């Protein structure tokens, strides 16, 4: 009588580890080009320079350090109440935003994101932004850059 022993869990674990290691190496940029951007400013604010929010929002300034013109960027971040440390929103505190518009090489551009539609009260203090990163950049030439693991995330207190 044939009695099979189960090696499936060990094989599955081996493939899972190989997959994770592969993803890790795929996310690394081994000096193929210089880092494509620099976050020059990042702040939660109760004042919108561009009139995009009435009570509270996020302002950030990005410098295109690359040699290609940026056409679109997608950013992601989490927001916390600066006093309690909890999620201040009525929905998830993980947010993503996409911005279109040309940023030439060596040019900086400021963007704003409104939190007004995310809260059901007017806060008497600012929120705290953490794990802010540029998730992807689309260039005018059709190429793209991605940070799928948030490897280059920063928080407000980092600046």
């Amino acid at each position: 009588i044939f009695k099979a022993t189960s090696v499936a869990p060990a094989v599955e674990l081996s493939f899972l580890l190989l997959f994770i290691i592969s993803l890790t190496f795929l996310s690394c940029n081994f000096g193929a080009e210089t880092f494509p951007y620099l976050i020059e400013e990042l702040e939660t604010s109760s004042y919108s320079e561009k009139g995009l929010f009435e009570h509270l929002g996020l302002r950030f300034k990005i410098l295109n350090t690359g040699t290609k013109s940026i056409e679109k960027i997608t950013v992601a971040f989490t927001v916390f109440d600066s006093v309690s440390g909890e999620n201040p929103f009525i929905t998830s505190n993980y947010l993503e935003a996409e911005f279109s518009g040309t940023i030439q090489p060596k040019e900086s551009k400021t963007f704003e994101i409104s939190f007004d539609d995310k809260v059901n009260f007017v806060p008497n203090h600012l929120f705290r932004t953490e794990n802010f990163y540029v998730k992807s950049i689309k260039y005018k030439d059709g190429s793209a850059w991605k940070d799928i693991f948030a490897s280059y995330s920063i928080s407000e207190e980092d600046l």
Side-chain angles (χ1 to χ4, degrees), residues 8 28 57 65 78 108 111 133 158:
C28 296
T65 60
T78 50
S108 292
F111 297 95
Y133 70 104
D158 293 334

Side-chain angles (χ1 to χ4, degrees), residues 6 17 38 57 69 79 104 136:
S6 178
L17 289 173
L38 175 69
S69 295
V79 179
Q104 298 295 339
S136 65

Side-chain angles (χ1 to χ4, degrees), residues 44-48 51-58 79 88-91 95 112-123 127:
T44 305
S45 178
S46 59
Y47 170 73
S48 172
L52 296 178
F53 55 87
E54 190 174 332
H55 302 292
L56 194 64
L58 177 71
V79 179
F89 299 146
I90 54 178
T91 59
L95 303 173
E112 291 184 345
I113 302 164
S114 174
F115 296 157
D116 288 349
D117 63 340
K118 307 262 185 274
V119 293
N120 58 359
F121 63 96
V122 177
F127 295 158

